[in-house]
Amino acid sequence: LEKETLASGCTSHGTGISRFNLRDADNSAHANLLQSHIFKLDKMIPFLEDESGMSVQYQLMPGMSVPLTDEAWESMQVQGPANGHKVLSGDAARQLEPHLGPEIPGVLWEPRRARVSGPKLTFAYARAAAKRGAEISLGEPATGVQLMDGRVVGVKTPSETIPCGAVVLAMGTWAPEAGAWFGVDIPVKPVKGEALRLVYRGPSSTHALNPMGLRPGFAEQGHVLFRMDGMVSVGSTMEDTGYVSEPTQAARDRLMRMAVYLWPGLAEAEVKHHVYGLRPIPADGLPILGPIPGVEGGFIVTGHGAVSKSALFAEITADYVLRGTTDAVPSMEPFLLERFDAKGDVGENAFGVIRQAREAAPTVAAGSGRDG
Ligand SMILES: Cc1cc2nc3c(=O)[nH]c(=O)nc-3n(C[C@H](O)[C@H](O)[C@H](O)COP(=O)(O)OP(=O)(O)OC[C@H]3O[C@@H](n4cnc5c(N)ncnc54)[C@H](O)[C@@H]3O)c2cc1C
């Protein structure tokens, strides 16, 4: 059931970048989850394109992380090599990319990043699923669930109750609305991200560029990425504006300033689209996956980076629905909804948690982001 149309939520404007962030390069469960998502996506895309008969614009390229502050540069030079990334001087970087900004003191080079189109991926999933018998209802909201003896037996819509053996809430930033259906709190908060799509006829970069560090007047985190459809994607701001929000001139200026620092030729580019979306950010920043506690047959999947991690999230969800468990990641504990009971009330803290994480590791983590 989709209340509007396919890919009408955050997915329509997410950048779809998949990468392994330095911040995640420890042995945490989240790092393991992130690592495995890259391989799942790689494996799944050819299969999905074949099943759906459409391209999802999967683009592989090396990456350059570009420091925006002295602290970021110092920290990158220490942490980068420790995590298998190469430190290049500004001149060495400009030998690879001659049109890179002249003030850039150096970069961290990574062999592999990927980008996929969120809307195309969604359409491909839908087509492939329909081919295998799934029925997809567009313009039809779920308004509740029918419970019997502690288990889900139906989903309510404005016109009917559809009998079912399992329900998966895949509602993005609207997931908290469904908490009442199950008698649980779902601590997810919208965090606005704005991005630009540019038309630019000058020389393009063969690397995905990601700034690191917070610089006044620049976007909070970001990327400059020359997409395979010819557009240049420039993103993304990160602002706590609640559910009501719109794109702003100030955000556009911050994005363009950052883009021109990284790739000066973009000063000549035309802004074709100025997009924004509401990222579903759980209170502790990690995705929420798996069973809804206390109700048999209820499941949830939401969180940030859900475009690039969709193959992994889908496998985890299917495992739980079909087998009641998963071995897709080494430990599910950090991702289960029930973790919030143990932590107490963190529902109002989503954006704060992200900010704190960035402040705690101000040089490398800031700006590296979990997305573009
Ligand atoms: C600027 C920006 C940059 C980003 N960059 C990246 C990136 O580089 N890589 C990455 O992986 N991620 C990125 N993201 C995040 C990513 O886009 C999101 O994590 C992802 O799109 C969330 O997908 P979702 O399906 O959970 O939610 P959504 O795409 O929001 O979908 C939820 C859907 O549920 C529907 N719905 C809601 N309530 C109901 C109901 N009651 N009944 C029926 N349907 C309902 C909505 O209509 C909507 O279509 C970015 C996001 C932004 C905004």
Side-chain angles (χ1 to χ4, degrees), residues 61-81:
M61 72 216 104
M64 284 183 180
S65 297
V66 179
L68 297 183
T69 60
D70 291 344
E71 294 88 346
W73 181 218
E74 278 161 29
S75 168
M76 284 163 70
Q77 293 179 75
V78 176
Q79 292 191 36

Side-chain angles (χ1 to χ4, degrees), residues 21 73 76 86 123 216 219 239-240 257 278 280 288 303 306 326:
N21 288 323
W73 181 218
M76 284 163 70
K86 270 192 221 161
F123 279 95
E239 282 181 284
D240 187 5
R257 238 174 257 131
L278 298 176
I288 306 177
T326 184

Side-chain angles (χ1 to χ4, degrees), residues 1-3 8-11 14-17 141-142 172 277 303-308 371-372:
L1 301 174
E2 163 53 60
K3 69 175 176 174
S8 56
C10 184
T11 299
T15 314
I17 292 177
H304 187 33
V307 172
S308 51
D371 64 40

Side-chain angles (χ1 to χ4, degrees), residues 1-19 37 114-116 118 122 137 139-144 156 169-175 177-178 181 191-195 197 221 223 234-237 275-281 301-310 313 370-372:
L1 301 174
E2 163 53 60
K3 69 175 176 174
E4 292 187 19
T5 189
L6 284 180
S8 56
C10 184
T11 299
S12 57
H13 299 316
T15 314
I17 292 177
S18 145
R19 61 185 296 212
H37 94 268
R115 190 252 159 193
V116 65
T122 309
S137 295
E140 190 166 19
T143 53
K156 294 177 188 167
L169 302 179
M171 292 165 60
T173 196
W174 295 273
E177 286 173 18
W181 308 349
V191 174
K192 185 173 76 159
E194 295 186 41
R197 311 288 184 244
Q221 62 173 18
H223 68 266
V234 173
S236 309
T237 62
V275 300
Y276 78 98
L278 298 176
R279 301 175 178 93
I281 306 286
V301 46
T302 191
H304 187 33
V307 172
S308 51
K309 297 187 191 79
S310 56
F313 288 2
R370 293 186 189 284
D371 64 40

